[in-house]
Each structure stands twice: as structure tokens, then as C-alpha cells.
Amino acid sequence: MAGEFELISKYFANQKLKRNDVALSQGDDCALLLSPAGSQIAVSTDSLVAGTHFLQSADPKWVGHKALASNISDLAAMGAEPAWVSMAISLPKPDEKWLQQFCEGFFPLADAHNLQLIGGDTTRGPLSITLTVHGFIPQGEALLRSGAREGDKILVSGQLGDSHAGLEVILEPHKRLLAHAATLEARHYCAESRIRLGMMLRGKASSCIDISDGLVSDIQHIMHRSKVGARLALDKLPVSQELIEYCLDKETAQQYALKSGEEYELCFTLPQHLLESVQQQAAELGILLTEVGEIIESDTLQLLRNNQLIEKDVAGFDHFRT
Ligand code: ADP
Ligand code: MG
């Protein structure tokens, strides 16, 4: 597009953060990177497309934040330490105001995670952003989806459900009148990053995933990869006071918590004997962890409320679509 190089040098080549394992970043045909001895490199790509993942009219700062946060969340779920990111961005026109605000959401989050933008591609086209993040994990210490065992406890970080309520507010304008609508909308875009938790869980969690499609859907990835079942206690799902007031009651809020996507909290399994020490270390990091269920042998997903079985086998996400 016209002014492509100008846009790149003005907006994408000025990150203050300079890592010493980046031998060459933007300006040549490839970036040149130094990989640390003894580490595996975790790589993940995610796209955000206008009209699918965010509204064309969404605040560009939030889009920048969300694009990176959703990628960082995949690193967190593997227990990786963030290092590098590359960006393919497609823009309908060279809208400098939009780019400026996008960068205001993107770079502070990148800097906060010691994540350097090392290259990318800038083209004209429908608005979309594709990021590839790279992180380091000591050889063999990655948190996989495949290690959950019968009797392990299922835990989640933070509080669930706010992101789904925020999405409702974005898509159904009359819901702006409900309690805490603006707060919940902001939470949809600005999830907390769980990198420190993921790194702390190395060598402890038997499996881990980030909640991007909703707990009820994502726990099934752990089930399938680990060849186990799971039992979730609906009444234990952690929900915010704002969500309870938005929904008018806790039970409804916990239904949101079960299916809410784009939470970017971690869901992981832990052998019982590690429960106390992990809870304590999480508290030191200022992160709320909640035990929400346990791994069972049969390959079903069961739901309990107040210790009563209310669903013997949840078939999948569709079952819960409202
Ligand atoms: P090439 O034509 O060789 O692919 P480009 O003209 O696409 O190179 O890009 C020029 C330089 O700018 C490259 O080093 C590329 O990595 C960098 N770059 C392009 N777009 C971005 C972007 N959105 N973010 C970061 N770096 C970018
Ligand atoms: Mg190119």
C-alpha cells in the first residue's frame, strides 16, 4: 500500500524494548534471533479479524491489547516465558489515527512481558491482525493438555463469565443499561495475562489450557488429550460481584462462567498433594485460584450443583448455547 514503509518505520519499528537475543529485527528480509541453550521454543499464531473477533468500530487501543493478550495467553498455558512476536496486519486504508491507538494498546502490553516485535508484514485489505508469539520453556517442562490423571483436582485462575457478559453488551446495545455494563465490556477486551502463573505451574500441573472457547468446551480438550473424564461443580465457579449484579443472581452468573469464551484464564489439573503449596504460591503472586472439580476415570463430563449430579454427560458447547 502507499506509504507502507513509512507506516512500518513510524509505528512498528520503534519499540523501546530491545532484547539482547534479537541480533536483527525489522529492516531486512528476516529477523535473526538467538535461541537459548537448553530451552524449547514455544510458537503460537492467532488471528483477529474485524467483524468476526471484534467490531470494525471497536476502540483500536482495545483491539491492540486484545490481539496480543490472546496470543500471550497461549504462551501462559504452556508455561512459556514470552520473548518475540511478529505481526501481519492488513488495513483497508493507511489510517494513522487507528494505527496510533492500536499501538497504544499493543506496545505497553508487549513491553510489560519483555516481548519484542521482531518483524511482520503490512498490507492493504480487510482489517485483520495475525500475530505469532515465541516463548522459551526449559526442555521437557511444557504444560501439555495430555497429562491429567484420575483424582487430579481441576483449578481455574481468576473469575469467569465477565468476558461473555461484556460481549453481550457489545452486541446487544440495550444491555448497556444493565448494572456494570461498561466494566464488563472493558473486561472483554482487557483480560489479565497469566504468564507468571503458567511459569510457576511448570513441573506441577499435570495438564493446562487457557480458556478461550469457554470452560465447558476447553476442559474437553484436556479430557480428550488425557483420555479421562471430568466432573465440574457449577456452584464453585468463581464469578465477580459485578457479574452477579449484571445477571441479577449468582446461579445465572455461574452459567455464564461455564460457557464464557475469551476469558484467557488458565484451567489446569493438579495432583491433590500439590494443592496447598500451589495455592500458596499463587496467593504470593496475587492470583486467585479456585478448585472447581476433579478428573474422573470414565470419559464423561459431569456437572454437579450442591453435590448433586445435574448432568451425567455434557455433549459439548452447543448444548449450552443460549
Ligand atoms: P519483505 O517485502 O521482504 O517481506 P516488507 O516490506 O514486508 O519486507 O517489510 C519490511 C520490514 O518491515 C521487514 O523487516 C518486516 O519484518 C518489517 N515489518 C513489516 N510490517 C511489519 C509489522 N506490521 N510489524 C513489524 N514489522 C513489520
Ligand atoms: Mg512483506
Side-chain angles (χ1 to χ4, degrees), residues 144-148 154-156 207-232 258-260 266-269 292 294-303 311-321:
L144 305 179
R145 297 176 178 182
S146 53
I154 302 169
L155 287 92
V156 296
S207 70
C208 186
I209 192 168
D210 66 317
I211 302 178
S212 53
D213 295 331
L215 178 61
V216 74
S217 172
D218 291 316
I219 190 69
Q220 293 183 61
H221 292 301
I222 288 183
M223 287 167 49
H224 294 146
R225 300 286 297 193
S226 300
K227 300 187 171 53
V228 292
R231 186 176 285 154
L232 290 176
L258 188 63
K259 68 184 176 188
S260 180
L266 297 186
C267 169
F268 59 96
T269 57
V292 296
E294 68 178 342
I295 295 297
I296 56 176
E297 192 191 354
S298 90
D299 61 358
T300 55
L301 174 54
Q302 305 178 352
L303 292 184
E311 281 276 352
K312 277 200 207 119
D313 191 10
V314 176
F317 180 70
D318 281 352
H319 192 80
F320 280 87
R321 196 168 280 168

Side-chain angles (χ1 to χ4, degrees), residues 4-5 8 28-29 120-123:
E4 174 193 339
F5 297 110
I8 295 168
D28 214 313
D29 294 315
D121 197 25
T122 305
T123 54

Side-chain angles (χ1 to χ4, degrees), residues 4-5 8 12-13 25-31 85-89 117-122:
E4 174 193 339
F5 297 110
I8 295 168
F12 297 127
S25 61
Q26 290 101 331
D28 214 313
D29 294 315
C30 292
V85 57
S86 58
M87 179 197 314
I89 187 163
L117 181 63
I118 45 110
D121 197 25
T122 305

